[in-house]
Amino acid sequence: MSVGVMLMTHEAVGQALISAAHHVLPTLPLKVEAVEVPGQADPDVMRTLTEQHARELDQGDGVLVLADLYGATPCNIGLSLGSAGVRLRCVSGLNLPMLLRVLNYAEKPLDELAEIAATGGRGGIFIDHA
């Protein structure tokens, strides 16, 4: 068994990150799905749809939700899945380094993967000191 990974993003962001991850890792070691929330989407409809995806992703070890923006609708929907009986952790600020770090530590348990995601996301940010 392994942790499922759900990217909760605004339109077109999640699939683009999965595509980029496939470029670096042709075979992804974890099951990764993107739920992209269109701007006009009904949050209740999206929540129901997302609950189904989360249940399908959960192979017994839980689901790591990686959201693009804390406080935005995709993140809020991801956070609400816990009340639907899905064991999950949610990390916001999704970027490609975060996703790749998670995929490189696929054998880790859910709680540790959440910490790895946050560390990977922060570690992928660099400021040029020119």
Side-chain angles (χ1 to χ4, degrees):
M1 290 194 287
S2 62
V3 172
V5 179
M6 180 180 293
L7 308 185
M8 291 295 306
T9 70
H10 290 85
E11 226 168 350
V13 175
Q15 286 301 326
L17 286 170
I18 291 172
S19 178
H22 274 292
H23 179 75
V24 177
L25 300 167
T27 301
L28 301 184
L30 294 172
K31 190 171 180 184
V32 181
E33 288 189 19
V35 175
E36 299 176 333
V37 181
Q40 316 78 347
D42 179 334
D44 292 327
V45 170
M46 289 303 301
R47 186 173 295 108
T48 300
L49 196 132
T50 304
E51 285 176 14
Q52 292 172 327
H53 284 294
R55 286 192 183 98
E56 291 168 8
L57 273 174
D58 189 0
Q59 301 171 13
D61 290 331
V63 175
L64 178 62
V65 175
L66 302 178
D68 60 357
L69 183 63
Y70 180 75
T73 301
C75 184
N76 292 340
I77 291 171
L79 288 168
S80 75
L81 297 176
S83 65
V86 178
R87 186 169 162 262
L88 66 87
R89 294 294 307 273
C90 185
V91 180
S92 63
L94 174 59
N95 59 23
L96 184 57
M98 177 187 290
L99 177 57
L100 292 174
R101 181 66 61 93
V102 166
L103 294 172
N104 278 298
Y105 289 91
E107 74 286 355
K108 299 293 185 184
L110 179 60
D111 288 340
E112 196 170 339
L113 266 184
E115 295 298 327
I116 287 168
T119 301
R122 283 189 300 268
I125 298 169
F126 176 78
I127 299 172
D128 179 6
H129 292 160

